Amino acid sequence: MTDALGPGAVARLLGVAPTTLRSWDRRYGVGPRERSPGGHRRYSPADVARLRTLCHLVGEGVPPAEAARRVLSSADRSVPGPRVPAASAAPRSSPALPVHGSGHTPTLRGVARAAMRMDSDLVEHLLQTAVERHGTVAAWEDLAKPLLYGMGRRWEDTRRHVEVEHLLSWSVSTVLRRVPAPLAAPGTRQRPVVLACLPHEMHSLPVEALAASLREAGLTHRVLGPCTPTEATVRAIARVGPRAVVLWCHASGDHDAETLRAVARTAASAPQRTAVYTAGPGWRGVGDTLRVADGHLDSLTEGVRVLGG
């Protein structure tokens, strides 16, 4: 079969992991119809077409078992294929993941199901596709953020599935780090934006989403990450001379106001103007201290608009 492909090539072609291909073959019988003389899996064009359809259905939120049944039912009955073992025909379902918001799209449901099955390869594939098709801001606001919120609700309600929350967070972070920057024009230089969490803040995924969105927009930035000491943020302002600083706070802490005042003082004394913005729900308890900031960023969309202006 000179036109047959190996598992690695098919996985790259479809954007899934080789382990996912093996799982679909073993559990649902959607795999190669033939083997090489050495017993290795080799995928014909018809096999690849079936798998492409399966990927499309799963990406639209159809459970893999149902998607496989549809693919196999539409296949050419004259070509014998591998039988689906009885135990695999009805795999144990995973509990549903609650999602936040009203737009429960098929893609969102598909990612939720993949996360509950601990299929990180499929989660990343669907998230990556969403970023490439719709952009980082839309993928975060309409897909990743509702899923993460829903996972947090599930843990609060049941104290279960923390492993799914960790897997989902890691997958989201992985996809955000892959967002490429556009090619800069020769000689183009701009003062960066500094993104920092408060000293007690470990919840940094929204900062990663803002960083990826700025990178996608071609805006220079420096990320200091979770639990950034106040003195480190102050030193960063002095060293890089940013045009803006964003302080992220998810949950209020005892010294939030002190950190904001210290950063605002440093920014005000900088040779060039440095704007200071707050972001995150944790700033609600700070009160009048917020007046020392130039503004509060309520969403990723607003953050990219304001920082890119």
Side-chain angles (χ1 to χ4, degrees):
M1 293 176 59
T2 58
D3 56 349
L5 298 176
V10 174
R12 289 190 295 273
L13 180 66
L14 299 177
V16 300
T19 53
T20 301
L21 292 181
R22 288 197 296 271
S23 175
W24 286 346
D25 187 9
R26 183 177 63 254
R27 298 184 67 184
Y28 309 124
V30 182
R33 298 297 180 94
E34 298 185 22
R35 302 268 175 167
S36 71
H40 300 293
R41 291 177 296 155
R42 288 294 181 266
Y43 294 81
S44 70
D47 296 330
V48 174
R50 281 191 294 272
L51 286 167
R52 196 185 300 276
T53 301
L54 180 58
C55 286
H56 175 76
L57 291 172
V58 171
E60 290 300 317
V62 179
E66 172 62 24
R69 281 192 289 270
R70 294 187 194 180
V71 169
L72 293 174
S73 67
S74 63
D76 184 0
R77 297 297 196 278
S78 64
V79 180
R83 296 177 56 193
V84 181
S88 300
R92 185 175 61 185
S93 60
S94 300
L97 172 63
V99 292
H100 178 56
S102 58
H104 293 187
T105 64
T107 299
L108 191 149
R109 292 193 297 270
V111 177
R113 291 191 182 104
M116 293 305 294
R117 294 195 309 272
M118 301 291 289
D119 189 343
S120 58
D121 297 319
L122 185 54
V123 170
E124 291 178 20
H125 169 68
L126 295 174
L127 289 171
Q128 184 76 44
T129 300
V131 169
E132 293 171 355
R133 290 180 179 175
H134 308 294
T136 303
V137 173
W140 171 261
E141 296 284 7
D142 300 334
L143 191 58
K145 185 177 177 181
L147 287 166
L148 291 164
Y149 181 92
M151 197 64 248
R153 280 177 49 204
R154 171 170 286 279
W155 185 84
E156 290 175 1
D157 293 341
T158 67
R159 289 299 190 264
R160 297 177 58 203
H161 304 301
V162 68
E163 70 282 1
V164 179
E165 182 179 15
H166 280 249
L167 179 141
L168 183 59
S169 296
W170 179 263
S171 297
V172 171
S173 178
T174 299
V175 172
L176 290 173
R177 298 292 182 90
R178 291 175 182 160
V179 174
L183 294 176
T188 300
R189 254 188 105 158
Q190 56 184 209
R191 294 165 63 204
V193 175
V194 169
L195 310 178
C197 294
L198 291 193
H200 67 276
E201 186 57 70
M202 298 182 65
H203 186 79
S204 62
L205 263 181
V207 174
E208 295 184 40
L210 179 55
S213 300
L214 294 177
R215 185 166 61 252
E216 186 178 63
L219 300 172
T220 305
H221 58 279
R222 302 288 183 269
V223 182
L224 303 184
C227 300
T228 307
T230 300
E231 57 271 22
T233 304
V234 167
R235 285 198 300 267
I237 296 172
R239 292 185 64 181
V240 306
R243 57 191 177 86
V245 179
V246 178
L247 296 176
W248 168 260
C249 179
H250 178 73
S252 299
D254 295 334
H255 305 289
D256 297 351
E258 296 174 18
T259 297
L260 177 56
R261 283 193 290 265
V263 169
R265 284 195 302 270
T266 304
S269 63
Q272 295 178 283
R273 167 160 171 74
T274 297
V276 177
Y277 296 100
T278 57
W283 289 107
R284 295 184 187 130
V286 175
D288 290 343
T289 307
L290 279 180
R291 294 179 181 176
V292 304
D294 291 88
H296 182 79
L297 307 177
D298 286 316
S299 67
L300 186 58
T301 300
E302 182 181 14
V304 175
R305 177 180 60 80
V306 171
L307 298 172

